[in-house]
């Protein structure tokens, strides 16, 4: 536990609501609220540029991406398909283009993740202390790794809700799966899993900067699990039973894993300061 002397020697600046120090109003490095908003605008603009660029690249390779996303679809769907073409159909003149555009944008978001994480970190880093800025590189690489794991898990388990939704009323209706409905479902499902798997990174970072601690996470555990399972029912795009259960299990597992990780990753003195 930090002593009074150490606290006096390492007095940290008071932060304003926009994350910047107010100890020295004449500090030439200090940013005004207008400057801060201007920086935010440029950070968002750079993120959008990255998404557009990677989306264009993904559109060029759209056929490969489309075949990859069609893998979870049962082979017997849309028996009207002939000549080896996809069993997915379109019902209007713009349906095919819209579906391919959606696929390209989703792939562009995934591919631009390193840029998005870097811009996010670059925006918040001016409001952090020096001891917190050293986590920049781990923040980016761990974020990418967790996102890749998340979308991989989403891709593996998506076949269960897809098959359930299709087979549920297969005896009463002839399933004709449209491109827009299928690819919207798949893209949203996989991206949700990728974002959910960022939970350990976000919470651990919050613990590093003193916003939460292990004690708080343990005390709020019941409410957190209930809240996550309720959120899982709204985040999953289908009306099936599998999607919210799978996502809820993943979120609960990640929450418990985060508590264990913070217990060993965050130094004892940091936990003592925020307790």
């Amino acid at each position: 536990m930090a002593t009074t002397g150490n606290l006096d020697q390492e007095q940290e600046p008071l932060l304003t609501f926009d994350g910047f120090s107010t100890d020295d109003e004449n500090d030439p490095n200090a940013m005004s609220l207008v400057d801060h908003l201007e920086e935010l605008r440029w950070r968002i603009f750079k993120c959008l540029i990255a998404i557009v660029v990677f989306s264009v690249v993904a559109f060029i390779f759209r056929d490969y991406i489309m075949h990859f996303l069609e893998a979870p679809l049962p082979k017997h769907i849309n028996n009207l398909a002939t000549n080896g073409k996809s069993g997915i159909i379109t019902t209007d003149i713009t349906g095919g283009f819209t579906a391919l555009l959606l696929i390209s944008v989703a792939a562009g978001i995934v591919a631009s993740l390193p840029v998005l994480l870097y811009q996010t970190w670059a925006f918040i880093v001016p409001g952090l202390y020096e001891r917190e800025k050293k986590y920049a590189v781990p923040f980016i690489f761990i974020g990418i790794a967790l996102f890749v794991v998340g979308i991989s898990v989403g891709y593996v388990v998506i076949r269960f809700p897809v098959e359930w939704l299709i087979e549920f009323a297969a005896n009463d209706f002839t399933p004709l799966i449209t491109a827009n409905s299928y690819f919207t479902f798949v893209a949203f499902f996989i991206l949700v899993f990728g974002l959910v798997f960022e939970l350990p990174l976000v919470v651990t970072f919050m613990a590093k900067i003193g916003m939460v601690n292990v004690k708080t996470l343990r005390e709020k555990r019941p409410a957190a699990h209930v809240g996550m399972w309720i959120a899982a029912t709204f985040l999953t795009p289908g009306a099936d039973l599998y999607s919210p259960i799978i996502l809820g299990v993943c979120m609960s597992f990640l929450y418990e894993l985060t508590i264990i990780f913070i217990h060993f990753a965050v130094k004892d003195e940091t936990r003592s300061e925020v307790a």
Side-chain angles (χ1 to χ4, degrees):
M1 184 172 183
T3 63
T4 304
N6 291 335
L7 290 176
D8 292 336
Q9 296 173 1
E10 300 178 4
Q11 185 67 34
E12 293 176 330
L14 178 64
L15 296 181
T16 63
F17 69 92
D18 59 350
F20 292 94
S21 172
T22 59
D23 276 6
D24 186 2
E25 296 181 355
N26 297 321
D27 185 358
N29 295 322
M31 295 178 64
S32 67
L33 177 59
V34 174
D35 293 335
H36 192 39
L37 293 176
E38 180 67 14
E39 183 188 7
L40 175 61
R41 184 174 72 89
W42 278 106
R43 297 291 179 189
I44 294 176
F45 179 74
K46 292 177 182 178
C47 291
L48 293 177
I49 290 297
I51 293 175
V52 170
V53 171
F54 283 109
S55 296
V56 170
V57 174
F59 190 80
I60 297 174
F61 297 96
R62 59 189 179 276
D63 291 335
Y64 300 98
I65 299 174
M66 184 183 70
H67 293 319
F68 177 76
L69 295 178
E70 283 181 342
L73 193 65
K75 300 301 181 183
H76 65 277
I77 293 301
N78 298 356
N79 293 324
L80 297 178
T82 57
N83 299 326
K85 293 183 179 179
S86 170
I88 301 178
I89 66 172
T90 58
T91 58
D92 58 83
I93 192 171
T94 62
F97 176 79
T98 303
L100 292 175
L101 186 62
L102 170 66
I103 294 172
S104 301
V105 172
I109 294 174
V110 173
S112 60
L113 180 66
V115 178
L116 303 182
L117 288 175
Y118 172 78
Q119 294 299 329
T120 300
W121 181 267
F123 176 71
I124 65 176
V125 75
L128 301 178
Y129 304 123
E130 288 299 326
R131 63 181 174 84
E132 299 162 350
K133 295 179 181 179
K134 63 182 180 181
Y135 302 115
V137 174
F139 174 84
I140 295 174
F141 281 99
I142 294 176
I144 294 172
L146 287 173
F147 191 82
V148 170
V149 172
I151 62 176
S152 300
V153 172
Y155 181 79
V156 170
V157 303
I158 195 174
R159 64 180 63 252
F160 299 110
V162 167
E163 291 180 357
W164 188 90
L165 288 170
I166 292 174
E167 300 295 340
F168 180 77
N171 295 329
D172 302 312
F173 303 97
T174 300
L176 295 176
I177 310 302
T178 64
N180 283 334
S181 65
Y182 177 74
F183 288 119
T184 299
F185 179 88
V186 172
F188 192 81
F189 188 93
I190 293 177
L191 287 177
V192 164
F193 267 81
L195 293 175
V196 165
F197 269 69
E198 298 292 335
L199 178 65
L201 177 66
V202 174
V203 179
T204 301
F205 176 73
M206 292 171 64
K208 283 286 188 182
I209 63 177
M211 294 180 64
V212 297
N213 53 42
V214 173
K215 180 180 179 181
T216 301
L217 294 175
R218 287 173 176 170
E219 291 176 349
K220 303 296 183 181
R221 176 183 282 138
H225 284 295
V226 172
M228 288 186 296
W229 278 78
I230 293 175
T233 62
F234 292 97
L235 291 175
T236 48
D240 61 289
L241 298 176
Y242 290 100
S243 299
I245 293 177
I246 294 172
L247 187 61
V249 169
C250 289
M251 294 174 74
S252 293
F253 172 77
L254 291 171
Y255 186 86
E256 297 298 329
L257 183 65
T258 302
I259 294 177
I260 297 174
F261 184 74
I262 291 176
H263 179 76
F264 291 101
V266 180
K267 295 181 179 180
D268 292 337
E269 59 267 22
T270 305
R271 292 200 298 268
S272 298
E273 292 175 3
V274 300

